[in-house]
Amino acid sequence: MTSILNELTIKNLLDAGVHLGHLTKYYNPKNDNFIFCTHSRISIFNLTVSLEYLKIAINFIANSVKEGKTILFVGTKKSAKNAVEEFAEKCGMPYVNYRWLGGMLTNYQTIKQSIKRFFKLQAMSADGTLVRLTKKEGLSLLKELERLNLYFCGIKHMKKLPDILFVLDVNKENIAVKEA
């Protein structure tokens, strides 16, 4: 873990394509620590401060994982869906990359029932029960299975509420943030 922190430099951030600034019309007073200067109506970020906070975040995540805590990755933007799924599966952590369902944290018992229904439909599909039903029933259950797979494929093995929520876009995922 310390090797990752030692390798993390401003040059690495620039090579990775880190965001360097935004228009001044998007000014937010919470960002004052991160603004280096403004030039031609563009606020330029102070990457040294960003790097310090990034290292703090990496330490927090690493220590949490060492303690065995569960991290739920949330990112439903088109550009982030595949990356969220790939890295969450690589870490063996749950993820949400299709749509955040309201009550996913605050009403987890109901979500667990829907996940049980998802597993039941998967079992029915695997053993051929769906084929033996009438065409209309089979297609409706298959359609429900596909929908539930989209919603719950990342959290189907989550046994309890997560300890940490890793949200990629807090504006788009505001419901997830409020529930957390």
Side-chain angles (χ1 to χ4, degrees):
M1 206 264 316
T2 55
S3 64
I4 293 172
L5 293 178
N6 292 338
E7 292 175 12
L8 199 57
T9 63
I10 292 176
K11 185 179 182 326
N12 292 5
L13 291 177
L14 290 172
D15 291 343
V18 73
H19 191 59
L20 297 174
H22 56 74
L23 294 173
T24 53
K25 69 179 182 178
Y26 298 118
Y27 171 76
N28 186 337
K30 293 179 184 177
N31 294 338
D32 279 344
N33 294 345
F34 298 96
I35 303 295
F36 179 69
C37 67
T38 57
H39 184 272
S40 299
R41 293 184 294 148
I42 296 177
S43 297
I44 300 171
F45 295 144
N46 187 347
L47 293 182
T48 56
V49 175
S50 299
L51 186 63
E52 290 173 26
Y53 279 97
L54 182 60
K55 287 181 179 182
I56 291 169
I58 290 172
N59 277 327
F60 173 75
I61 295 291
N63 292 335
S64 299
V65 169
K66 282 180 188 174
E67 294 171 10
K69 293 185 176 179
T70 306
I71 302 169
L72 175 62
F73 292 90
V74 181
T76 59
K77 281 184 162 183
K78 266 187 182 179
S79 58
K81 283 182 180 188
N82 295 334
V84 166
E85 181 177 1
E86 177 186 339
F87 289 110
E89 285 181 352
K90 209 181 273 189
C91 300
M93 296 291 176
Y95 63 92
V96 175
N97 69 341
Y98 180 68
R99 179 174 171 248
W100 182 267
L101 299 175
M104 205 174 274
L105 296 178
T106 56
N107 197 6
Y108 188 64
Q109 294 304 319
T110 306
I111 297 295
K112 277 176 113 175
Q113 290 173 352
S114 298
I115 292 172
K116 283 181 187 175
R117 171 87 174 147
F118 168 65
F119 281 130
K120 182 180 174 186
L121 288 175
Q122 266 189 330
M124 288 173 68
S125 176
D127 68 12
T129 307
L130 292 181
V131 177
R132 284 180 261 143
L133 296 173
T134 64
K135 185 175 181 180
K136 185 175 182 179
E137 287 175 331
L139 286 176
S140 68
L141 290 177
L142 196 60
K143 188 176 179 181
E144 181 183 357
L145 175 64
E146 289 173 6
R147 184 179 55 85
L148 291 175
N149 187 37
L150 283 175
Y151 292 144
F152 301 126
C153 68
I155 63 167
K156 62 186 173 190
H157 298 298
M158 192 168 73
K159 301 293 183 213
K160 62 181 182 72
L161 287 174
D163 300 305
I164 299 168
L165 200 66
F166 187 93
V167 181
L168 290 183
D169 185 356
V170 292
N171 291 328
K172 182 165 175 36
E173 311 301 340
N174 62 348
I175 297 172
V177 173
K178 287 176 186 174
E179 283 190 40

